[in-house]
Amino acid sequence: DARVTQTPRHKVTEMGQEVTMRCQPILGHNTVFWYRQTMMQGLELLAYFRNRAPLDDSGMPKDRFSAEMPDATLATLKIQPSEPRDSAVYFCASGSGLGTGGTAVWAFFGQGTRLTVV
Amino acid sequence: DQQVKQNSPSLSVQEGRISILNCDYTNSMFDYFLWYKKYPAEGPTFLISISSIKDKNEDGRFTVFLNKSAKHLSLHIVPSQPGDSAVYFCAASAQGGSEKLVFGKGTKLTVNP
């Protein structure tokens, strides 16, 4: 049963500390998304990659957030330094979006990392 | 600027009745639309999608309607069941679904027994 795996599931950290969230996309999926869920904003897109190349990270606070795909089986989202306003659930999703006329395979979500910054 | 809007934060219906969840979008480049369902402490799961070349897509109890001229789509659940109680997210993408997914804020559906 293919699934997107995110670690850790929960993270409590102190303000100012570095946080790293990891995601293992579904094998064969060429697109990886990072979303953040908050009560006020719903699901916000932070960044996404296609074939490991970053396509859009305009939703990400550049001064403290960074997203990478060191290889096809791992995506990371780092926050340094973390702040209380970063507390949210962070979701990774993977998919294989096809072009016009094709059947898009969208997007399978992991269970999320619940981050609490105190 | 919210490109995908779900204006009803919550909806409550009786078991067996129809649930209608609405979604509006502003970006005319969107041509592929999806609905996701989310239970607490889980990630969203794909429910149903529709391409802009269609105006209706049906899958069991779930039907999505698309009105391109009004930039509006809706999800109908008939009959509603208590297990359908969840948050429903509308999402949109351009380029036939190959571009990034933009989500609405979600509508919490409660189906009462």
Side-chain angles (χ1 to χ4, degrees), chain B residues 8-103:
Chain B
S8 298
S10 62
L11 174 67
S12 183
V13 300
Q14 283 299 119
E15 181 178 5
R17 308 292 278 265
I18 185 171
S19 295
I20 300 176
L21 297 99
N22 294 303
C23 177
D24 298 293
Y25 61 97
T26 58
N27 189 340
S28 57
M29 299 302 292
F30 289 150
D31 58 5
Y32 195 77
F33 306 90
L34 308 92
W35 286 93
Y36 281 80
K37 178 179 177 179
K38 185 183 180 304
Y39 292 118
E42 294 184 10
T45 55
F46 170 75
L47 190 58
I48 192 169
S49 64
I50 188 167
S51 164
S52 61
I53 61 175
K54 296 184 176 181
D55 54 19
K56 176 182 174 181
N57 190 26
E58 198 169 349
D59 184 1
R61 297 185 297 113
F62 301 91
T63 303
V64 57
F65 294 92
L66 175 62
N67 183 334
K68 290 186 289 293
S69 60
K71 293 192 176 68
H72 177 83
L73 61 155
S74 60
L75 175 68
H76 293 211
I77 307 173
V78 184
S80 302
Q81 298 174 354
D84 297 329
S85 297
V87 177
Y88 289 79
F89 289 97
C90 171
S93 177
Q95 294 292 324
S98 62
E99 293 296 314
K100 62 185 179 184
L101 285 180
V102 180
F103 282 83

Side-chain angles (χ1 to χ4, degrees), chain A residues 9 31 33 35 37 39-45 48 50 56 58 91 97-112 114, chain B residues 2 31-32 34 36 38-46 49 51 53 87 89 91 93-106:
Chain A
R9 290 292 312 278
T31 306
F33 300 89
Y35 285 91
Q37 184 185 16
M39 291 299 294
M40 295 300 294
Q41 298 297 328
L43 280 168
E44 297 176 86
L45 178 67
Y48 85 112
R50 173 139 315 134
D56 187 340
S58 58
F91 288 105
L98 301 180
T100 303
T103 301
V105 180
W106 286 123
F108 295 84
F109 280 76
Q111 291 188 290
R114 180 174 293 276
Chain B
Q2 196 91 28
D31 58 5
Y32 195 77
L34 308 92
Y36 281 80
K38 185 183 180 304
Y39 292 118
E42 294 184 10
T45 55
F46 170 75
S49 64
S51 164
I53 61 175
V87 177
F89 289 97
S93 177
Q95 294 292 324
S98 62
E99 293 296 314
K100 62 185 179 184
L101 285 180
V102 180
F103 282 83
K105 293 188 180 182

